[in-house]
Amino acid sequence: MRDLLPGAVAVAVADASAWAEEPLPEEAATLSERAVPARRREFRAGRACARRAMTALGLPPVPVPAGRDRAPLWPPRIVGSISHTGDYCAAAVARSGAVRSLGIDAEDNLELDEPTRQLVCLPEEEEWWRGPGGSEPYWPTVFFSAKESVYKAWFPLVGGWLGFHDVRVEPDPRAGTFTARILAPHRRPDLAPEVLHGRFAVSPDLVRTAVVVPAD
């Protein structure tokens, strides 16, 4: 994830010890008792990465509990994002004076089935993928991941829900970047930009995306 984010953002990617590291008591208290083992494993790694990223930023590794919507509750003057899929987990954090909001996402590089693709992609995105954009099977997953990153960056600013069809993603394959336009009728240009910019990377195993809203 480091390759997708500016220097003002600190990143930590889970190693074997992160997957086994126990959450702090304040974090564990916000994990549902009904959480399945896979969820508990992801939670451990995500919080371990969050604390390691804070340390890399020169900050104390304070607890990052979960809110009612399961989103991380970052300490004051810190913005961040966590993502996990399979055996990959990463966290990114920044000081709010440098970055207003950010979102990261990672997905297994798997071809989406048609019902999922229709749920995720707008007609113009589907047309781009089947036309001049290229026919690589990973593009719908790039759209999916990009919209997840957009939502993670947009929600803390607005506090509202975004559906997949509320965002149009316009990739630049050569640059590895994308532009995301908020189409939702409840968009709030007074609180969050209607156009966000991000980066993406595709490997044989993973699709990764990141969005940063600068402080200025």
Side-chain angles (χ1 to χ4, degrees), residues 51-137:
R51 295 192 298 272
R52 293 177 186 190
M54 284 189 279
T55 298
L57 205 60
L59 299 169
V62 299
V64 183
R68 290 185 178 181
D69 58 359
R70 300 194 357 176
L73 297 177
W74 300 98
R77 297 179 293 281
I78 295 296
V79 298
S81 183
I82 299 172
S83 184
H84 39 67
T85 182
D87 290 326
Y88 180 88
C89 179
V93 300
R95 299 176 188 269
S96 58
V99 171
R100 190 173 169 210
S101 185
L102 65 91
I104 63 171
D105 186 71
E107 302 292 337
D108 292 329
N109 188 353
L110 300 174
E111 186 174 355
L112 300 185
D113 59 36
E114 185 173 356
T116 304
R117 194 173 66 243
Q118 291 179 351
L119 177 69
V120 170
C121 296
L122 290 162
E124 51 265 53
E125 293 168 339
E126 183 95 5
E127 182 180 357
W128 179 91
W129 169 51
R130 296 186 180 280
S135 59
E136 296 290 349

